[in-house]
Amino acid sequence: MTDRPTAVVTGASSGIGAATARALAKAGFHVVLGARRTDRCAEIAAEIDGTAVRLDVTDSESVSAFAAAVPDCRLLVNNAGGAKGMEPVAEADEENWRWMFETNVIGTLRVTQALLPALIASGDGHIITVTSIAALEPYDNGAGYTGAKHAQAMLHRTLRGELLGQPVRLTEVLPGLVETEFSLVRFDGDAERAAGVYRGIEALTPDDVADVVAFAATRPSNVNIDQIVLKPRNQASATRMNREG
Ligand code: NAP
């Protein structure tokens, strides 16, 4: 048993989710780390006195079992997600689109539905969803990802209205370029292509994003930070960047 409030972080096995788990533990939460790579979550859980529970957001049974293991929940960070592929609409790969919508959109829907009763019952719940600047505008060759992130953002922003009158805050975090395994996943393990995404630009670190998540989570409960957009200084939008060297 712990008297710390419980925070759930999905996609906590790497990148932004792993950094967020650490930041929230530092802020006083008992963190439940969910992802498919449980070995990685278990390592971080041991480090921060948290709990690792297997979670595949694309599998409704896995989400139900995960939620059953989290009877109390004060904070949910919907972070699991990512991109697959980058091609014009004319050549779009349907399987990649299905992966992106299943993971970012339906996954967020499933986990949110499963934990919402506990968040409301806590009397002071909070849902933080990591969408992206891809939820702000289109970019060429990115329709699968921008489409999924827009849909995920709409789910989250709609809840802001639907939950009025309930004790649940809603914060959307929209990062620009963050150096994580994101591009490695997007380009199917092609490390050289993934490295090219970050060439000549000092990207955000996962800790930079975790900082703002922890900031939003630690405001007084009457304060709802609706949206936080953060980008590297050398990035003006998804397509406009100043690359050096
Ligand atoms: P990352 O290092 O690839 O992390 C993605 C996380 O999502 C991993 O922990 C992964 O865990 C988890 N995940 C993927 N599929 C899952 C599934 N089916 N069930 C449960 N967990 C799953 O990338 P990241 O950059 O930290 O991405 C985190 C979030 O930030 C994503 O939603 C991404 O779209 C968003 N974002 C990233 C950037 C960027 O530039 N990096 C910018 C804006 C927004 P397992 O593989 O172990 O399951």
Side-chain angles (χ1 to χ4, degrees), residues 7-244:
V8 165
V9 180
T10 70
S13 59
S14 72
I16 295 168
T20 296
R22 292 189 173 101
L24 292 175
K26 217 181 226 177
F29 286 92
H30 167 241
V31 181
V32 179
L33 299 95
R36 295 165 303 178
R37 288 171 293 178
T38 36
D39 50 336
R40 289 201 191 191
C41 288
E43 253 175 57
I44 302 165
E47 187 194 307
I48 63 172
D49 192 18
T51 306
V53 181
R54 190 181 186 279
L55 172 66
D56 180 350
V57 299
T58 66
D59 174 353
S60 61
E61 278 178 26
S62 168
V63 173
S64 301
F66 180 84
V70 189
D72 301 307
C73 183
R74 179 81 73 82
L75 169 63
L76 165 62
V77 182
N78 282 316
N79 166 76
K84 283 262 190 215
M86 204 172 173
E87 63 274 312
V89 170
E91 292 154 27
D93 180 315
E94 205 178 295
E95 275 312 305
N96 284 345
W97 278 55
R98 196 165 284 118
W99 186 95
M100 289 187 273
F101 277 77
E102 273 289 339
T103 308
N104 295 283
V105 188
I106 310 293
T108 298
L109 174 65
R110 280 199 190 102
V111 176
T112 303
Q113 281 182 334
L115 292 177
L116 197 50
L119 288 161
I120 292 172
S122 78
D124 188 14
H126 194 168
I127 300 171
I128 299 180
T129 303
V130 180
T131 64
S132 169
I133 58 167
L136 296 175
E137 58 181 352
Y139 61 81
D140 293 355
N141 307 322
Y145 185 58
T146 55
K149 284 302 192 186
H150 273 73
Q152 181 192 32
M154 281 307 140
L155 180 168
H156 174 92
R157 293 175 204 166
T158 299
L159 277 173
R160 178 83 173 96
E162 289 178 353
L163 292 179
L164 280 177
Q166 299 285 1
V168 181
R169 288 181 286 162
L170 283 129
T171 302
E172 181 184 356
V173 174
L174 303 89
L177 206 59
V178 191
E179 192 156 359
T180 64
E181 293 174 20
F182 175 89
S183 295
L184 206 57
V185 173
R186 179 169 220 173
F187 300 129
D188 216 12
D190 183 338
E192 206 179 313
R193 196 171 173 203
V197 173
Y198 309 106
R199 200 158 288 138
I201 184 162
E202 190 179 344
L204 298 174
T205 66
D207 287 336
D208 294 327
V209 182
D211 258 358
V212 307
V213 172
F215 173 79
T218 52
R219 294 312 89 202
S221 61
N222 67 314
V223 178
N224 194 101
I225 310 259
D226 281 45
Q227 285 187 328
I228 302 176
V229 182
L230 69 160
K231 291 177 286 205
R233 191 180 61 207
N234 270 329
Q235 181 179 32
S237 74
T239 51
R240 288 194 67 200
M241 270 170 261
N242 176 48
R243 292 189 192 269
E244 288 162 344

